[in-house]
Amino acid sequence: MAGRNGRTVRDLRRANRTAVLQRLYFDGPLSRFELGPATGLSSGSVSNVVADLIADGLVEEAGSVDSDGGRPRTLLRVAPGSGHMIGVDVGETRVRIELFDLTLTELARAERPLAQQRYEVEVIAGHIRDGIAEVLDTAGLAPERLLGAGIGVPGIVEHTADRGAVVHGQTIGWDAVPLEALLRAGSGLPDTVPYLIDNGAKTLGQAEMWFGAGRGARNAVVVLFGSGVGACLVTPEVEHGRAVEWGHLTVRVRGRRCRCGALGCLEAYAGAESLLARWREAGGTPPEGTDEETALTAMLAAAYPADDGRPDPVALAVLEETAEYLGAGLSDLINLFQPERILIGGWAGLQLGSRFLPAVRRHAMSYALRHPAEKVTVELGRLGPDAVTVGAAILPLADFFARGGRRPEPAPEYPLPAWRRSLRERAPR
């Protein structure tokens, strides 16, 4: 039966379960007495919802506290083992897969290097499927116990009714890749375990907003700085964030050619891949045969020697110029969105940030309009290099909360394009 606002009794129960689960998750342990004002529910509704959640194994008792003159109050918390999620980061140098319990405690991880055939679609899909199987086997967990697998990828993710999540990754050569259908075709996961795919900068942003340096902010931009550059915008209207292709703002007319094919993109100057190329072009000597992370570490060591030796002037000049490009790029975000916080993350952002974050701040303030610049802080993210993976795992967790702690219905079967159907034939039986 639907009420005047169109909500059914089932909708109301789901909303009440969601409210209680979220408050216990973020603020728990809490007593039933505390849950009332925290959720806005009556004491009777709280008792009914808690009883249902305990019966479902989602909530458990966590000790007690004294009350004012009465009986001790029982504390409640979300049961850590009542659900599990997988987070996947399709990064520049590796695919990282991690298994978490409901409280986002890591239980197992697997990594697949991307030294060659970096973004070949079948290679990436195979790494994801094999990595999921590996972490489940390591933890001894049945696939049916997963709430879902969240995956952060480069590029624009389009969610379609007939093909599921489709990735448009121009910088990595992915043109409308039906990644969700590809994974489902060769997956050993049950149909009730969803793949939830989104832009990696958005998953990074979600992690920092839920558990990191973004907590408490209403308006924030979280920047992912790796081989390429991306960002996630979070506002009250876009609570879970929106990926923005910040790396492809033009910062220099007829400038360097970017991986996307255009000229003068921010990514062509500030992305780690381009930064190392500029160092090489200026006469620097990145170590041969190493991945980008190792090469960037060497560049930093050359520019900022630990033994008080003479810095490499070429490396130092390229890094100082990069700080200005990044500051100018941040000023665009400040002028466009007027955030209260900008957070810098990603493996390259964390490596470089500790060295020249003050210079980036200075340039950002000098290029931005004075009024919004006075209201923003620029700092590093707090969740480290695993933040994209943690944020990817939040995708199924957030979906689980939105369902009131109910598992999703079986996923639809998305047809594969003809040129991909051999994957289904190769899938394990």
Side-chain angles (χ1 to χ4, degrees), residues 322-339:
T322 300
E324 185 165 5
Y325 274 116
L326 273 174
L330 293 182
S331 75
D332 289 333
L333 296 175
I334 293 169
N335 291 342
L336 285 170
F337 304 118
Q338 301 180 33

Side-chain angles (χ1 to χ4, degrees), residues 117-157:
Q117 297 178 306
R118 287 177 68 184
Y119 288 108
E120 171 60 36
V121 175
E122 278 84 358
V123 171
I124 296 293
H127 284 338
I128 294 172
R129 288 193 300 266
D130 293 346
I132 288 174
E134 180 180 330
V135 296
L136 289 174
D137 182 66
T138 299
L141 188 75
E144 293 78 12
R145 294 182 61 187
L146 286 175
L147 301 179
I151 303 168
V153 297
I156 298 170
V157 181

Side-chain angles (χ1 to χ4, degrees), residues 83-266:
H84 299 80
M85 301 83 65
I86 281 176
V88 179
D89 175 12
V90 180
E92 289 95 357
T93 60
R94 65 177 62 85
V95 176
R96 178 179 287 133
I97 305 98
E98 297 183 52
L99 173 67
F100 302 90
D101 68 14
L102 203 63
T103 59
L104 286 174
T105 298
E106 182 189 314
L107 304 179
R109 76 161 56 196
E111 293 191 352
R112 298 290 188 273
L114 294 178
Q116 298 175 345
Q117 297 178 306
R118 287 177 68 184
Y119 288 108
E120 171 60 36
V121 175
E122 278 84 358
V123 171
I124 296 293
H127 284 338
I128 294 172
R129 288 193 300 266
D130 293 346
I132 288 174
E134 180 180 330
V135 296
L136 289 174
D137 182 66
T138 299
L141 188 75
E144 293 78 12
R145 294 182 61 187
L146 286 175
L147 301 179
I151 303 168
V153 297
I156 298 170
V157 181
E158 178 186 13
H159 297 279
T160 68
D162 57 340
R163 292 188 297 165
V166 175
V167 183
H168 304 272
Q170 190 166 321
T171 60
I172 62 173
W174 284 17
D175 182 16
V177 170
L179 185 59
E180 185 176 353
L182 290 171
L183 292 173
R184 183 61 66 189
S187 173
L189 298 183
D191 289 344
T192 53
V193 177
Y195 287 101
L196 300 166
I197 301 168
D198 220 319
N199 176 271
K202 180 176 175 181
T203 69
L204 168 69
Q206 186 132 21
E208 288 289 350
M209 296 303 293
W210 276 37
F211 302 110
R215 290 200 70 177
R218 287 172 52 81
N219 298 276
V221 178
V222 185
V223 171
L224 190 154
F225 178 22
S227 180
V229 179
C232 172
L233 170 68
V234 180
T235 68
E237 294 77 26
V238 192
E239 182 182 356
H240 296 295
R242 183 179 78 239
V244 291
E245 292 294 337
W246 175 57
H248 302 289
L249 288 176
T250 302
V251 295
R252 189 166 182 172
V253 176
R254 294 188 295 276
R256 292 176 60 88
R257 188 166 297 280
C258 179
R259 297 188 301 175
C260 73
L263 298 177
C265 294
L266 175 63

